[in-house]
Amino acid sequence: MSTSSFLLNNGVEIPSLGFGVFQSAPEETAAAVTEALRVGYRHIDTAAAYGNEREVGQAISTSGLSREELFIETKVWISDYGYDETLHAFDKSAGKLGVEYLDLVILHQPLPTNFRKTLAAYAALEKLYADGKVRAIGVSNFMPEHLQHLINVTNVVPTANQIEIHPYFQQKDLLALDTDHGILNQAWSPIGGITFYYEGDGGSTLDDPTIGAIAQAHGKTPAQVMLAWHLARGRSVIPKSVKAQRIAENFDVFDINLTPDELSRMDDLDKGVRRGPEPVSLTLESHGMPIPEA
Ligand code: NDP
């Protein structure tokens, strides 16, 4: 099966389709990642806050794959923001993952109530990058004001911004801003998981009639055509599943060629309503939690 990759703005290659593990219970994570690696995924997206880096590391160590074949991405949680704290957060994550270096480390959220700490955390990522401990650095859930502020006062432009993007919430202005700065858009909830795994209004992308019709025309599933749409639009995707059949299904997308009309019909599904948390609403008081040592 042919796969594809993107070049980050520092020349590092990232597989275009990775494997997410948000809400994968620790006891399910090693098996899910093992299966993903068996199927052909080479990029894993985890986070200190997911509580499953150790299990991701178990799957890596038993995979038989060499470190160079893998692209490992993790995120620093807000409780570990600050220069020294974030340097130590790298040690904790790398220790649990059982690796010497990480391919991409991103700040999980902006901390608008203490942006000074967010900037200090990013300065630590710049140091880790300069020291060769991480191959690329980036951000997540950064809105235009956070991104612009960060770029104005730091030296290394983020390579990626991991944000909520699915057919029902497309953040087109933010996508354009990222692209203007050479920042790769990385879609979380790429098949719209956030539209169906919590209670809420607005419907599930999996049940969308337009997506369903396009899927049927290609003999594929709604999840598959959503992933193909992101890839065609130049976005990195990291779908999550703990089920072997879906892990394989979500990787079997590289032969889908959506027509310009199909792509624009999917672009038109945007409802402009965020389904995940408002990035500006997170504070240390509301969302802080200790990240255990390795
Ligand atoms: P996804 O869009 O990847 O959807 C995942 C959900 O869809 C799960 O409930 C999964 O259940 C189900 N599913 C997976 N494949 C299929 C399929 N083919 N057909 C039907 N249902 C399917 O949502 P996520 O929110 O998990 O986003 C993906 C990744 O992005 C995360 O795992 C995480 O790595 C990252 N992320 C980052 C965030 C951030 O703030 N930076 C926020 C949220 C996610 P099951 O496992 O039972 O198959």
Side-chain angles (χ1 to χ4, degrees), residues 82-170:
Y83 189 78
D84 291 335
E85 294 89 337
T86 299
L87 290 180
H88 185 55
F90 168 83
D91 293 333
K92 290 195 279 186
S93 287
K96 290 174 196 165
L97 287 160
V99 296
E100 297 287 313
Y101 70 91
L102 282 156
D103 295 282
L104 177 57
V105 177
I106 63 178
L107 299 184
H108 206 143
Q109 300 277 344
L111 200 48
T113 52
N114 197 339
F115 207 69
R116 197 182 45 79
K117 244 183 165 176
T118 310
L119 293 174
Y122 193 80
L125 295 192
E126 291 182 307
K127 166 76 173 147
L128 292 164
Y129 178 55
D131 289 350
K133 292 185 172 173
V134 303
R135 297 175 67 224
I137 63 177
V139 295
S140 174
N141 298 310
F142 270 48
M143 297 300 104
E145 63 272 26
H146 313 125
L147 208 51
Q148 206 58 66
H149 188 158
L150 183 90
I151 289 170
N152 287 346
V153 299
T154 57
N155 299 317
V156 180
V157 176
T159 59
N161 190 9
Q162 186 181 115
I163 48 180
E164 178 184 347
I165 300 284
H166 46 74
Y168 288 172
F169 189 56
Q170 299 186 25

Coordinates of all heavy atoms in Angstrom, one line a residue, residues 82-170:
G82 N 6.5 26.4 31.8 CA 7.6 27.0 32.5 C 8.8 26.4 31.9 O 8.8 25.3 31.4
Y83 N 9.9 27.2 31.9 CA 11.2 26.7 31.2 C 11.7 25.4 31.8 O 11.7 24.4 31.1 CB 12.2 27.8 31.3 CG 13.4 27.5 30.4 CD1 13.4 27.7 29.0 CD2 14.6 27.0 31.0 CE1 14.5 27.4 28.2 CE2 15.7 26.7 30.2 CZ 15.6 26.9 28.8 OH 16.7 26.6 28.0
D84 N 12.0 25.4 33.1 CA 12.6 24.2 33.7 C 11.5 23.1 33.7 O 11.9 21.9 33.5 CB 13.1 24.5 35.1 CG 14.3 25.4 35.1 OD1 15.0 25.4 34.1 OD2 14.5 26.1 36.1
E85 N 10.3 23.4 34.0 CA 9.2 22.4 34.1 C 9.1 21.7 32.7 O 8.9 20.5 32.7 CB 7.9 23.1 34.5 CG 7.9 23.6 35.9 CD 8.3 25.1 35.9 OE1 9.1 25.5 35.0 OE2 8.0 25.8 36.9
T86 N 9.2 22.4 31.6 CA 9.0 21.8 30.3 C 10.2 21.0 29.9 O 10.0 19.9 29.3 CB 8.6 22.9 29.3 OG1 7.4 23.5 29.7 CG2 8.4 22.3 27.9
L87 N 11.4 21.5 30.3 CA 12.5 20.6 30.0 C 12.4 19.3 30.8 O 12.7 18.2 30.2 CB 13.8 21.3 30.5 CG 14.3 22.5 29.8 CD1 15.6 23.0 30.4 CD2 14.6 22.2 28.3
H88 N 11.9 19.3 32.0 CA 11.6 18.1 32.7 C 10.5 17.3 32.1 O 10.5 16.0 32.2 CB 11.4 18.4 34.2 CG 11.3 17.2 35.1 ND1 12.3 16.2 35.1 CD2 10.3 16.7 35.9 CE1 11.9 15.2 35.9 NE2 10.7 15.5 36.4
A89 N 9.5 17.9 31.6 CA 8.4 17.2 31.0 C 8.9 16.4 29.8 O 8.4 15.2 29.6 CB 7.3 18.2 30.4
F90 N 9.9 16.9 29.1 CA 10.5 16.0 28.0 C 11.1 14.8 28.6 O 10.9 13.7 28.1 CB 11.6 16.8 27.3 CG 12.4 15.9 26.4 CD1 12.0 15.6 25.1 CD2 13.6 15.3 26.8 CE1 12.7 14.7 24.3 CE2 14.3 14.5 26.1 CZ 13.9 14.1 24.8
D91 N 11.8 14.9 29.7 CA 12.4 13.7 30.4 C 11.3 12.7 30.8 O 11.5 11.5 30.6 CB 13.3 14.1 31.6 CG 14.5 14.9 31.2 OD1 15.0 14.8 30.1 OD2 14.9 15.7 32.0
K92 N 10.2 13.2 31.3 CA 9.2 12.3 31.8 C 8.6 11.6 30.6 O 8.4 10.4 30.6 CB 8.1 13.1 32.5 CG 8.5 13.7 33.8 CD 7.3 14.1 34.7 CE 6.8 15.5 34.3 NZ 5.8 16.0 35.2
S93 N 8.2 12.3 29.5 CA 7.6 11.7 28.3 C 8.6 10.7 27.6 O 8.2 9.6 27.3 CB 7.1 12.8 27.3 OG 6.0 13.4 27.8
A94 N 9.8 11.2 27.4 CA 10.8 10.3 26.7 C 11.0 9.0 27.6 O 11.1 7.9 27.0 CB 12.1 11.0 26.5
G95 N 11.1 9.2 28.9 CA 11.3 8.1 29.8 C 10.2 7.1 29.7 O 10.4 5.8 29.5
K96 N 8.9 7.5 29.7 CA 7.8 6.6 29.6 C 7.7 6.0 28.2 O 7.4 4.8 28.1 CB 6.5 7.4 29.9 CG 6.3 7.8 31.3 CD 5.1 8.7 31.5 CE 5.2 9.4 32.8 NZ 4.2 10.5 32.9
L97 N 8.0 6.8 27.2 CA 8.0 6.2 25.8 C 9.2 5.3 25.5 O 9.2 4.6 24.5 CB 7.9 7.4 24.8 CG 6.5 8.1 24.8 CD1 6.7 9.5 24.2 CD2 5.5 7.3 24.0
G98 N 10.2 5.4 26.4 CA 11.4 4.6 26.2 C 12.2 5.0 25.0 O 12.8 4.1 24.3
V99 N 12.3 6.3 24.7 CA 13.0 6.7 23.5 C 14.0 7.8 24.0 O 13.8 8.5 25.0 CB 12.1 7.3 22.4 CG1 11.2 6.2 21.9 CG2 11.3 8.5 23.0
E100 N 15.1 7.9 23.2 CA 16.1 8.9 23.5 C 15.7 10.3 23.0 O 16.1 11.3 23.5 CB 17.4 8.5 22.8 CG 18.0 7.2 23.3 CD 18.6 7.4 24.7 OE1 19.4 8.4 24.9 OE2 18.3 6.5 25.5
Y101 N 15.0 10.3 21.9 CA 14.6 11.6 21.3 C 13.1 11.5 20.8 O 12.6 10.4 20.6 CB 15.5 11.9 20.1 CG 15.3 11.1 18.8 CD1 14.4 11.4 17.8 CD2 16.0 9.9 18.7 CE1 14.2 10.6 16.7 CE2 15.9 9.0 17.6 CZ 15.0 9.4 16.6 OH 14.8 8.6 15.5
L102 N 12.5 12.6 20.6 CA 11.1 12.6 20.1 C 11.1 13.3 18.7 O 12.0 14.2 18.5 CB 10.2 13.3 21.1 CG 9.8 12.4 22.2 CD1 9.4 13.2 23.5 CD2 8.7 11.4 21.8
D103 N 10.2 12.9 17.9 CA 10.1 13.5 16.5 C 9.4 14.9 16.5 O 9.8 15.8 15.9 CB 9.5 12.5 15.6 CG 10.3 11.3 15.4 OD1 11.3 11.3 14.7 OD2 10.0 10.3 16.1
L104 N 8.4 14.9 17.3 CA 7.6 16.2 17.4 C 7.0 16.4 18.8 O 6.4 15.5 19.3 CB 6.5 16.2 16.3 CG 5.5 17.4 16.3 CD1 6.3 18.7 16.1 CD2 4.5 17.2 15.1
V105 N 7.4 17.5 19.4 CA 6.8 17.8 20.7 C 6.0 19.1 20.6 O 6.6 20.1 20.1 CB 7.8 17.9 21.8 CG1 7.2 18.3 23.2 CG2 8.6 16.6 22.0
I106 N 4.8 19.1 21.0 CA 3.9 20.3 20.9 C 3.4 20.7 22.3 O 3.2 19.9 23.2 CB 2.8 20.1 19.9 CG1 1.9 19.0 20.3 CG2 3.4 19.8 18.5 CD1 0.7 18.8 19.3
L107 N 3.1 22.0 22.4 CA 2.4 22.5 23.6 C 0.9 22.2 23.4 O 0.3 22.5 22.4 CB 2.6 24.0 23.8 CG 4.0 24.5 23.9 CD1 4.0 26.0 24.2 CD2 4.7 23.8 25.1
H108 N 0.3 21.5 24.4 CA -1.0 20.9 24.2 C -2.1 22.0 24.1 O -3.1 21.8 23.3 CB -1.4 20.0 25.4 CG -2.4 19.0 25.1 ND1 -2.3 17.7 25.7 CD2 -3.5 19.0 24.4 CE1 -3.3 17.0 25.3 NE2 -4.1 17.7 24.5
Q109 N -1.9 23.1 24.8 CA -2.9 24.2 24.8 C -2.1 25.5 25.0 O -1.1 25.5 25.7 CB -3.8 24.0 26.0 CG -4.6 22.8 26.0 CD -5.9 22.8 25.2 OE1 -6.3 23.9 24.8 NE2 -6.4 21.7 24.9
P110 N -2.7 26.6 24.5 CA -2.2 27.9 25.0 C -2.8 28.1 26.5 O -3.8 27.5 26.8 CB -2.8 28.9 24.1 CG -4.1 28.3 23.6 CD -3.8 26.8 23.6
L111 N -2.1 28.9 27.2 CA -2.6 29.2 28.6 C -2.8 30.7 28.6 O -1.9 31.4 29.1 CB -1.5 28.7 29.6 CG -1.9 28.5 31.1 CD1 -3.2 27.6 31.2 CD2 -0.8 27.8 31.8
P112 N -3.9 31.1 28.1 CA -4.1 32.6 27.9 C -4.0 33.4 29.2 O -3.6 34.5 29.2 CB -5.5 32.7 27.3 CG -5.8 31.4 26.7 CD -5.1 30.4 27.6
T113 N -4.4 32.8 30.3 CA -4.3 33.5 31.6 C -2.9 33.6 32.1 O -2.6 34.3 33.1 CB -5.2 32.8 32.7 OG1 -4.8 31.4 32.7 CG2 -6.7 32.9 32.4
N114 N -2.0 32.8 31.5 CA -0.6 32.9 31.9 C 0.3 32.7 30.7 O 1.0 31.7 30.6 CB -0.3 32.0 33.0 CG 1.0 32.3 33.7 OD1 1.9 33.0 33.2 ND2 1.3 31.8 34.9
F115 N 0.2 33.6 29.7 CA 0.9 33.4 28.5 C 2.4 33.4 28.6 O 3.1 32.8 27.9 CB 0.4 34.3 27.4 CG 0.5 33.8 26.0 CD1 -0.3 32.7 25.6 CD2 1.5 34.3 25.1 CE1 -0.1 32.2 24.3 CE2 1.7 33.7 23.9 CZ 0.8 32.7 23.5
R116 N 2.8 34.1 29.7 CA 4.3 34.2 30.0 C 4.8 32.8 30.2 O 5.9 32.4 29.7 CB 4.5 35.0 31.2 CG 5.9 35.6 31.5 CD 5.9 36.4 32.8 NE 5.2 35.7 33.9 CZ 5.7 34.7 34.6 NH1 6.9 34.2 34.3 NH2 5.0 34.1 35.6
K117 N 4.0 32.0 30.9 CA 4.4 30.6 31.2 C 4.4 29.7 29.9 O 5.2 28.9 29.7 CB 3.4 29.9 32.2 CG 4.1 29.5 33.5 CD 3.2 28.9 34.4 CE 4.2 28.2 35.5 NZ 3.5 27.6 36.6
T118 N 3.4 30.0 29.0 CA 3.3 29.3 27.7 C 4.6 29.6 26.9 O 5.1 28.7 26.3 CB 2.1 29.8 27.0 OG1 0.9 29.7 27.8 CG2 1.8 29.0 25.7
L119 N 5.0 30.9 26.9 CA 6.2 31.3 26.2 C 7.4 30.6 26.8 O 8.3 30.2 26.0 CB 6.3 32.8 26.1 CG 5.2 33.6 25.3 CD1 5.4 35.1 25.5 CD2 5.3 33.2 23.9
A120 N 7.5 30.6 28.1 CA 8.6 29.9 28.7 C 8.7 28.4 28.3 O 9.8 27.9 28.1 CB 8.6 30.1 30.2
A121 N 7.5 27.8 28.3 CA 7.4 26.4 27.9 C 7.9 26.2 26.4 O 8.7 25.3 26.1 CB 6.0 25.9 28.0
Y122 N 7.6 27.2 25.6 CA 8.0 27.1 24.2 C 9.5 27.3 24.1 O 10.2 26.7 23.3 CB 7.2 28.1 23.3 CG 7.4 27.9 21.8 CD1 6.7 26.9 21.2 CD2 8.3 28.6 21.1 CE1 6.8 26.6 19.8 CE2 8.5 28.3 19.7 CZ 7.8 27.3 19.1 OH 8.0 27.0 17.8
A123 N 10.0 28.2 24.9 CA 11.5 28.5 24.9 C 12.2 27.2 25.3 O 13.3 26.9 24.8 CB 11.8 29.6 25.9
A124 N 11.6 26.4 26.2 CA 12.2 25.1 26.5 C 12.2 24.1 25.3 O 13.1 23.4 25.1 CB 11.5 24.5 27.7
L125 N 11.1 24.2 24.6 CA 11.0 23.3 23.4 C 12.1 23.8 22.4 O 12.8 22.9 21.7 CB 9.7 23.4 22.7 CG 8.4 22.9 23.4 CD1 7.3 22.8 22.5 CD2 8.7 21.5 24.1
E126 N 12.3 25.1 22.3 CA 13.4 25.6 21.4 C 14.8 25.0 21.8 O 15.6 24.7 21.0 CB 13.4 27.1 21.4 CG 12.2 27.7 20.7 CD 12.3 29.3 20.7 OE1 12.5 29.9 21.7 OE2 12.1 29.8 19.6
K127 N 15.0 25.0 23.1 CA 16.3 24.5 23.7 C 16.4 23.0 23.4 O 17.5 22.5 22.9 CB 16.3 24.7 25.2 CG 17.3 24.0 26.0 CD 18.7 24.6 25.8 CE 19.7 24.0 26.7 NZ 21.0 23.9 26.1
L128 N 15.3 22.2 23.6 CA 15.3 20.8 23.3 C 15.6 20.5 21.8 O 16.3 19.6 21.4 CB 14.0 20.1 23.7 CG 13.7 20.1 25.2 CD1 12.2 19.8 25.4 CD2 14.6 19.0 25.8
Y129 N 15.0 21.4 21.0 CA 15.3 21.3 19.5 C 16.7 21.6 19.2 O 17.4 20.9 18.4 CB 14.3 22.3 18.8 CG 14.5 22.3 17.3 CD1 14.4 21.2 16.5 CD2 14.7 23.6 16.6 CE1 14.5 21.2 15.2 CE2 14.8 23.6 15.3 CZ 14.7 22.5 14.5 OH 14.8 22.5 13.2
A130 N 17.3 22.7 19.8 CA 18.7 23.1 19.5 C 19.6 22.0 20.0 O 20.6 21.7 19.4 CB 19.0 24.4 20.3
D131 N 19.2 21.3 21.1 CA 20.1 20.2 21.6 C 19.9 18.9 20.9 O 20.5 17.8 21.3 CB 19.7 20.0 23.1 CG 20.3 21.1 24.0 OD1 21.0 22.0 23.4 OD2 19.9 21.2 25.1
G132 N 19.0 18.8 19.9 CA 18.8 17.6 19.1 C 17.9 16.5 19.9 O 17.9 15.4 19.4
K133 N 17.3 16.9 20.9 CA 16.4 16.0 21.7 C 15.1 15.8 21.0 O 14.4 14.8 21.2 CB 16.3 16.4 23.1 CG 17.6 16.2 23.9 CD 17.4 16.5 25.3 CE 18.7 16.2 26.1 NZ 18.6 16.6 27.5
V134 N 14.6 16.8 20.3 CA 13.4 16.7 19.5 C 13.7 17.2 18.1 O 14.5 18.1 17.9 CB 12.2 17.5 20.1 CG1 12.0 17.1 21.5 CG2 12.5 19.0 20.1
R135 N 13.1 16.6 17.1 CA 13.4 16.9 15.7 C 12.5 18.0 15.2 O 12.9 18.7 14.2 CB 13.2 15.7 14.8 CG 14.2 14.5 15.2 CD 13.9 13.3 14.4 NE 14.2 13.5 13.0 CZ 13.4 13.1 12.0 NH1 12.3 12.4 12.3 NH2 13.7 13.3 10.7
A136 N 11.4 18.3 15.9 CA 10.6 19.4 15.5 C 9.7 19.8 16.7 O 9.4 19.0 17.5 CB 9.7 19.0 14.3
I137 N 9.3 21.1 16.7 CA 8.4 21.5 17.8 C 7.2 22.2 17.2 O 7.2 22.7 16.1 CB 9.2 22.5 18.7 CG1 9.7 23.8 18.0 CG2 10.4 21.7 19.4 CD1 10.4 24.7 19.0
G138 N 6.2 22.3 18.0 CA 4.9 22.9 17.5 C 4.0 23.2 18.6 O 4.3 23.2 19.8
V139 N 2.7 23.5 18.3 CA 1.7 23.9 19.2 C 0.4 23.2 18.9 O 0.3 22.5 17.9 CB 1.5 25.4 19.2 CG1 2.7 26.1 19.6 CG2 1.1 25.9 17.7
S140 N -0.6 23.3 19.8 CA -1.9 22.7 19.6 C -2.9 23.7 20.2 O -2.7 24.3 21.2 CB -2.0 21.4 20.3 OG -3.3 20.8 20.2
N141 N -4.0 23.8 19.5 CA -5.2 24.6 19.9 C -4.8 26.0 20.0 O -5.4 26.8 20.8 CB -5.7 24.0 21.3 CG -6.3 22.6 21.1 OD1 -7.0 22.4 20.2 ND2 -5.8 21.7 22.0
F142 N -3.8 26.5 19.3 CA -3.4 27.9 19.3 C -4.3 28.6 18.3 O -4.4 28.2 17.1 CB -1.9 28.1 18.9 CG -1.0 28.1 20.1 CD1 -1.1 27.1 21.0 CD2 0.0 29.0 20.2 CE1 -0.2 27.1 22.1 CE2 0.8 29.0 21.3 CZ 0.7 28.1 22.3
M143 N -5.0 29.6 18.8 CA -5.8 30.5 17.9 C -5.0 31.6 17.3 O -3.8 31.8 17.8 CB -7.0 31.0 18.8 CG -7.9 29.9 19.3 SD -8.7 29.0 18.0 CE -7.8 27.4 18.1
P144 N -5.5 32.4 16.4 CA -4.6 33.4 15.7 C -3.9 34.3 16.7 O -2.7 34.5 16.5 CB -5.6 34.1 14.8 CG -6.7 33.1 14.5 CD -6.8 32.3 15.7
E145 N -4.6 34.7 17.7 CA -3.9 35.7 18.6 C -2.7 35.0 19.3 O -1.7 35.7 19.6 CB -4.9 36.3 19.6 CG -5.5 35.4 20.6 CD -6.8 34.7 20.1 OE1 -7.0 34.6 18.8 OE2 -7.7 34.3 20.9
H146 N -2.9 33.7 19.7 CA -1.8 33.0 20.4 C -0.6 32.8 19.5 O 0.6 33.0 19.8 CB -2.2 31.7 21.0 CG -3.5 31.8 21.7 ND1 -4.6 31.0 21.4 CD2 -3.9 32.6 22.7 CE1 -5.6 31.3 22.2 NE2 -5.2 32.3 23.0
L147 N -0.9 32.4 18.2 CA 0.1 32.1 17.3 C 0.9 33.4 16.9 O 2.1 33.3 16.9 CB -0.6 31.6 16.0 CG 0.1 30.6 15.1 CD1 0.7 29.5 15.9 CD2 -0.9 30.1 14.1
Q148 N 0.2 34.5 16.7 CA 0.8 35.7 16.3 C 1.8 36.2 17.4 O 2.9 36.6 17.2 CB -0.2 36.8 16.0 CG 0.3 37.8 15.0 CD 0.7 37.2 13.7 OE1 -0.1 36.7 12.9 NE2 2.0 37.3 13.4
H149 N 1.3 36.1 18.6 CA 2.1 36.5 19.8 C 3.3 35.7 19.9 O 4.4 36.2 20.0 CB 1.2 36.4 21.1 CG 1.8 37.0 22.3 ND1 1.1 37.4 23.4 CD2 3.1 37.2 22.6 CE1 2.0 37.9 24.3 NE2 3.2 37.8 23.9
L150 N 3.1 34.4 19.8 CA 4.3 33.4 19.9 C 5.3 33.7 18.8 O 6.5 33.8 19.1 CB 3.8 32.0 19.8 CG 4.8 30.9 19.9 CD1 5.0 30.5 21.4 CD2 4.5 29.7 19.1
I151 N 4.9 33.9 17.6 CA 5.8 34.1 16.5 C 6.5 35.4 16.6 O 7.7 35.5 16.3 CB 5.0 34.0 15.1 CG1 4.6 32.5 14.9 CG2 5.9 34.5 14.0 CD1 3.7 32.3 13.7
N152 N 5.9 36.4 17.2 CA 6.5 37.7 17.3 C 7.7 37.7 18.3 O 8.6 38.5 18.2 CB 5.5 38.8 17.8 CG 4.5 39.1 16.7 OD1 4.7 38.9 15.5 ND2 3.4 39.8 17.1
V153 N 7.6 36.8 19.3 CA 8.6 36.9 20.4 C 9.5 35.7 20.5 O 10.3 35.6 21.5 CB 7.9 37.2 21.7 CG1 7.1 38.5 21.7 CG2 7.0 36.0 22.1
T154 N 9.4 34.7 19.6 CA 10.3 33.5 19.7 C 11.1 33.4 18.4 O 10.8 34.1 17.4 CB 9.4 32.3 19.9 OG1 8.5 32.1 18.9 CG2 8.7 32.3 21.3
N155 N 12.0 32.5 18.4 CA 12.9 32.3 17.2 C 12.6 31.2 16.3 O 12.9 31.3 15.1 CB 14.3 32.1 17.8 CG 14.8 33.2 18.6 OD1 14.6 34.4 18.3 ND2 15.4 32.9 19.7
V156 N 11.9 30.2 16.8 CA 11.6 29.0 15.9 C 10.1 29.0 15.6 O 9.3 28.9 16.5 CB 12.0 27.7 16.6 CG1 11.7 26.5 15.7 CG2 13.5 27.7 17.0
V157 N 9.8 29.2 14.3 CA 8.3 29.1 14.0 C 7.9 27.7 14.2 O 8.5 26.7 13.8 CB 8.2 29.5 12.5 CG1 6.7 29.3 12.0 CG2 8.6 30.9 12.2
P158 N 6.7 27.5 14.9 CA 6.2 26.1 15.1 C 6.1 25.4 13.7 O 5.8 26.0 12.7 CB 4.8 26.3 15.7 CG 4.8 27.7 16.2 CD 5.8 28.5 15.3
T159 N 6.3 24.1 13.8 CA 6.2 23.3 12.5 C 4.8 22.9 12.3 O 4.4 22.6 11.2 CB 7.1 22.0 12.6 OG1 6.7 21.2 13.7 CG2 8.5 22.3 12.6
A160 N 4.0 22.8 13.4 CA 2.6 22.3 13.3 C 1.7 22.9 14.3 O 2.2 23.3 15.4 CB 2.6 20.7 13.4
N161 N 0.4 23.0 13.9 CA -0.6 23.4 14.9 C -1.7 22.4 14.8 O -2.3 22.2 13.8 CB -1.2 24.8 14.5 CG -2.1 25.4 15.6 OD1 -2.1 24.9 16.7 ND2 -2.7 26.5 15.3
Q162 N -1.8 21.6 15.9 CA -2.8 20.5 16.0 C -4.1 21.1 16.5 O -4.2 21.5 17.7 CB -2.3 19.4 16.9 CG -3.2 18.2 16.8 CD -2.7 17.0 17.7 OE1 -3.4 16.7 18.7 NE2 -1.6 16.5 17.4
I163 N -5.1 21.1 15.7 CA -6.4 21.8 16.0 C -7.6 20.9 15.7 O -7.5 20.0 14.9 CB -6.5 23.2 15.3 CG1 -6.1 23.0 13.8 CG2 -5.6 24.2 16.0 CD1 -6.2 24.3 13.0
E164 N -8.8 21.3 16.2 CA -10.0 20.6 15.9 C -10.4 20.9 14.5 O -10.7 22.1 14.1 CB -11.1 21.0 16.9 CG -12.5 20.4 16.5 CD -13.6 20.9 17.4 OE1 -13.4 21.6 18.4 OE2 -14.8 20.6 17.0
I165 N -10.4 19.9 13.6 CA -10.8 20.1 12.2 C -11.5 18.8 11.7 O -10.9 17.7 11.8 CB -9.6 20.3 11.2 CG1 -8.8 21.6 11.6 CG2 -10.1 20.5 9.8 CD1 -9.4 22.9 11.2
H166 N -12.7 19.0 11.4 CA -13.5 17.9 10.8 C -14.5 18.6 9.9 O -14.6 19.9 9.9 CB -14.2 17.1 11.8 CG -14.8 17.8 12.9 ND1 -16.0 18.5 12.8 CD2 -14.4 18.1 14.2 CE1 -16.3 19.1 13.9 NE2 -15.4 18.9 14.8
P167 N -15.3 17.9 9.1 CA -16.2 18.6 8.1 C -17.1 19.6 8.8 O -17.5 20.6 8.2 CB -17.0 17.5 7.5 CG -16.1 16.3 7.6 CD -15.3 16.4 8.9
Y168 N -17.5 19.4 10.1 CA -18.5 20.4 10.7 C -17.8 21.6 11.4 O -18.5 22.5 11.8 CB -19.3 19.6 11.7 CG -20.4 18.7 11.1 CD1 -21.1 17.8 11.9 CD2 -20.6 18.7 9.7 CE1 -22.1 17.0 11.3 CE2 -21.6 17.9 9.2 CZ -22.3 17.0 10.0 OH -23.2 16.2 9.4
F169 N -16.5 21.5 11.5 CA -15.8 22.7 12.1 C -14.4 22.8 11.4 O -13.5 22.1 11.7 CB -15.6 22.5 13.6 CG -15.1 23.7 14.3 CD1 -15.8 24.9 14.2 CD2 -14.0 23.7 15.1 CE1 -15.3 26.1 14.8 CE2 -13.5 24.8 15.7 CZ -14.1 26.0 15.6
Q170 N -14.3 23.8 10.5 CA -13.1 23.8 9.6 C -12.1 24.9 9.9 O -11.0 24.9 9.3 CB -13.6 23.8 8.2 CG -14.4 22.5 7.8 CD -14.8 22.4 6.4 OE1 -14.1 23.0 5.5 NE2 -15.8 21.7 6.1

